[in-house]
Amino acid sequence: MAPQSGRDIAPARGKLGVMLVGLGAVSTTFVAGVENVRRGTALPIGSLSQMGTIRLGKRTEKRSPKIKEFVPLADLKDLVFAAWDPIPDDAYAAAVKAGVLERHEHLEPIKDFLQVIKPLPAAFDQHYVKRLHGTNVKTGKNKRDLAEQLRQDIREFKKRSGADRLVMIWAASTEVFLTPGPAHQSLAAFEKAMEQNDPAIAPSMLYAYAALMENVPFANGAPNLTVDVPALERLAVDRTLPIGGKDFKTGQTMMKTVLAPAFKARMLGLAGWYSTNILGNRDGEVLDDPESFKTKEESKLGVLEYILQPDQYPELYGNVFHKVRINYYPPRGDNKEGWDNIDIFGWLGYPMQIKVDFLCRDSILAAPIVLDLALFFDLAQRARLSGIQEWLSFYFKSPQTAPGLYPEHDLFIQQTKLKNTLRWLMGADQITHLGIEYYEKA
Ligand SMILES: NC(=O)c1ccc[n+]([C@@H]2O[C@H](COP(=O)([O-])OP(=O)(O)OC[C@H]3O[C@@H](n4cnc5c(N)ncnc54)[C@H](O)[C@@H]3O)[C@@H](O)[C@H]2O)c1
């Protein structure tokens, strides 16, 4: 029997403004994709919020509505967009350059729509993204001043677009590796550090701060530290705002978080996992810089450690050699190739190998994630969920968690968590998969 009440959720009335940091391959593929879907020329494949269903009640009840019919999500027709980028190309020019979508089929017909999306000047500093040279950049007397300018952009976009609510998503380049330090521990320290132009404050943190100060949920699609610091986590909780990250889980890591749990479920051992990629888009170029790569590497390496729990299974996972490489290879553009060589062992220690060669399209995998995050973060805000949204770990390579909690990486546990959270929000029964009631009559 379903409980009577769920969470009070404000209706998705009016427009939802999606503010994208970065107007590169992922962002333009997302925006152009939404517009194609709205015009009925394509399907939102890969988007759980649009295509997915959710089972309610017992299997015998045969109730599985679409997620978007079960929870009150914003409708695609109500989305409006804005972006910042240090490169001044509008969304049409940027999409053509990114070379992801077929120009005549998916870009030319919506050229007018895309050309209107012109990037706002970015809070950008080459120190944090070495391989980029931007001209469409804000200037100010210090980092706090830049953050104030971002806040002004947010307010102006809201007014100009008539948006009722906003969400912000970082889909900009991966910044150099940073670790949390004194500047990130409290809001006072963070604000002082902005005023003193402390190098510990990366541009992405200015966007996150500006978003939260303007009551806008913030999701981080790259592995940068950004909103994963105590000062901003606290700010989000204090202002009842959802935040989350890091790093969209798309190709190789998605496969890793499917395969590794399977080995562990069957108690198969792992000797080594060698992952390499060739990638030729701008993201690949940025990641060719060792400092940006280090940020990505940390995000990609963490998953096996948490899934396999070597402390609990030393004979199986105590000595895993895990290597991740990303090689910038321009001829491939956005069409990444990710190879994995996996050395496993079974009964009595006999070795076996698995090879995965994933010829994927990076932004085609990422775009539906941006859409789902925009819609679910907006839902979370309307449901007054605050702080880290662990139920959206499903979308991240390196999910943020409350202090002291280890992240859950297994894709199917993440999916269960996501769907159970939707059931909980709507006051429906949790699905435990026990199923004994089908066999033992009361
Ligand atoms: N595509 C995927 O599968 C995938 C998966 C996980 C994470 N990501 C991450 O998503 C991000 C976007 O990927 P992409 O392929 O679109 O890259 P991209 O290089 O095509 O686009 C990134 C854009 O961000 C802009 N930018 C850089 N610094 C900025 C700043 N401070 N403010 C505003 N804009 C800024 C760049 O000028 C560029 O146009 C990258 O960090 C990437 O690592 C992508």
Side-chain angles (χ1 to χ4, degrees):
M1 194 45 90
Q4 290 307 299
S5 67
R7 186 101 173 174
D8 269 344
I9 306 176
R13 211 175 279 130
K15 291 185 197 166
L16 172 64
V18 184
M19 300 200 80
L20 299 159
V21 192
L23 189 57
V26 170
S27 292
T28 55
T29 306
F30 157 63
V31 172
V34 168
E35 185 61 6
N36 273 281
V37 171
R38 292 198 283 213
R39 293 190 189 192
T41 51
L43 288 174
I45 294 172
S47 162
L48 181 71
S49 72
Q50 302 304 299
M51 313 275 301
T53 60
I54 183 161
R55 196 231 310 169
L56 302 175
K58 298 194 193 321
R59 273 181 272 162
T60 44
E61 294 175 32
K62 298 192 168 29
R63 280 195 295 145
S64 290
K66 280 199 158 185
I67 286 174
K68 65 177 183 179
E69 282 150 17
F70 176 58
V71 286
L73 295 178
D75 194 287
L76 294 198
K77 74 172 178 1
D78 293 326
L79 299 192
V80 287
F81 306 96
W84 291 270
D85 204 294
I87 297 170
D89 295 337
D90 63 50
Y92 172 76
V96 170
K97 262 193 205 163
V100 178
L101 296 178
E102 214 282 311
R103 187 170 173 168
H104 295 289
E105 191 177 353
H106 290 130
L107 297 178
E108 290 301 333
I110 59 166
K111 186 173 178 177
D112 293 350
F113 165 81
L114 290 173
Q115 280 179 329
V116 174
I117 304 171
K118 295 189 175 29
L120 299 159
F124 176 75
D125 181 342
Q126 214 193 0
H127 171 72
Y128 299 88
V129 186
K130 300 272 185 309
R131 300 282 154 98
L132 274 190
H133 308 272
T135 53
N136 187 36
V137 172
K138 291 190 193 310
T139 51
K141 69 176 193 295
N142 56 35
K143 292 183 180 184
R144 185 157 195 177
D145 183 22
L146 297 180
E148 292 304 323
Q149 293 180 39
L150 293 171
R151 293 183 64 181
Q152 185 66 25
D153 289 345
I154 296 170
R155 290 193 289 267
E156 278 171 11
F157 171 63
K158 192 163 185 204
K159 208 162 153 201
R160 185 173 74 241
S161 65
D164 179 64
R165 308 166 318 279
L166 301 175
V167 291
M168 192 187 295
I169 299 182
W170 176 274
S173 312
T174 300
E175 296 176 328
V176 297
F177 186 65
L178 289 178
T179 46
H184 308 123
Q185 299 309 312
S186 70
L187 188 60
F190 186 91
E191 288 178 335
K192 189 161 170 222
M194 285 196 291
E195 277 156 22
Q196 295 176 336
N197 281 332
D198 188 330
I201 307 294
S204 62
M205 294 175 183
L206 303 180
Y207 289 94
Y209 170 82
L212 298 178
M213 293 303 285
E214 293 300 319
N215 295 318
V216 177
F218 183 93
N220 178 14
N224 337 300
L225 197 57
T226 312
V227 79
D228 192 6
V229 292
L232 297 181
E233 281 174 27
R234 187 79 248 160
L235 184 61
V237 172
D238 288 348
R239 301 181 73 98
T240 323
L241 290 166
I243 54 167
K246 308 182 293 239
D247 209 4
F248 303 130
K249 176 152 92 173
T250 49
Q252 194 168 56
T253 307
M254 180 188 68
M255 297 307 290
K256 212 169 254 182
T257 61
V258 169
L259 291 173
F263 305 149
K264 191 170 125 197
R266 292 292 170 134
M267 290 288 110
L268 294 169
L270 182 70
W273 198 314
Y274 178 77
S275 301
T276 188
N277 298 274
I278 53 174
L279 173 65
N281 59 15
R282 195 190 291 137
D283 187 31
E285 192 178 353
V286 166
L287 294 172
D288 207 35
D289 170 54
E291 287 187 73
S292 285
F293 174 67
K294 166 98 175 120
T295 312
K296 196 63 143 184
E297 187 184 29
E298 293 282 322
S299 158
K300 279 177 162 265
L301 280 177
V303 301
L304 285 189
E305 179 87 10
Y306 286 113
I307 290 174
L308 299 175
Q309 299 175 296
D311 290 349
Q312 287 202 44
Y313 304 98
E315 308 97 322
L316 299 175
Y317 309 119
N319 191 21
V320 175
F321 188 91
H322 187 196
K323 188 89 193 158
V324 177
R325 306 298 313 153
I326 298 177
N327 302 289
Y328 177 51
Y329 180 64
R332 278 299 167 86
D334 200 67
N335 296 352
K336 178 156 83 182
E337 183 159 2
W339 283 284
D340 286 276
N341 170 75
I342 313 159
D343 285 288
I344 62 170
F345 52 91
W347 186 241
L348 313 181
Y350 281 78
M352 296 172 264
Q353 291 182 17
I354 298 171
K355 316 277 178 188
V356 180
D357 185 4
F358 191 2
L359 290 108
C360 63
R361 291 173 187 263
D362 244 12
S363 303
I364 294 295
L365 293 170
I369 292 185
V370 180
L371 173 61
D372 285 3
L373 286 173
L375 299 185
F376 285 139
F377 268 79
D378 171 51
L379 173 72
Q381 185 178 29
R382 283 182 286 112
R384 297 188 55 74
L385 300 179
S386 69
I388 297 165
Q389 301 301 300
E390 203 196 305
W391 64 286
L392 296 172
S393 298
F394 180 66
Y395 295 106
F396 295 115
K397 272 204 238 338
S398 179
Q400 281 182 235
T401 50
L405 273 188
Y406 66 82
E408 190 52 74
H409 284 284
D410 177 328
L411 188 78
F412 296 105
I413 294 179
Q414 292 173 331
Q415 182 201 36
T416 303
K417 188 190 281 282
L418 190 159
K419 289 193 174 182
N420 270 339
T421 303
L422 296 178
R423 293 182 185 106
W424 168 77
L425 281 171
M426 300 307 290
D429 277 353
Q430 299 289 293
I431 302 252
T432 64
H433 300 288
L434 175 63
I436 196 75
E437 67 275 20
Y438 302 118
Y439 299 91
E440 289 189 356
K441 302 279 177 246

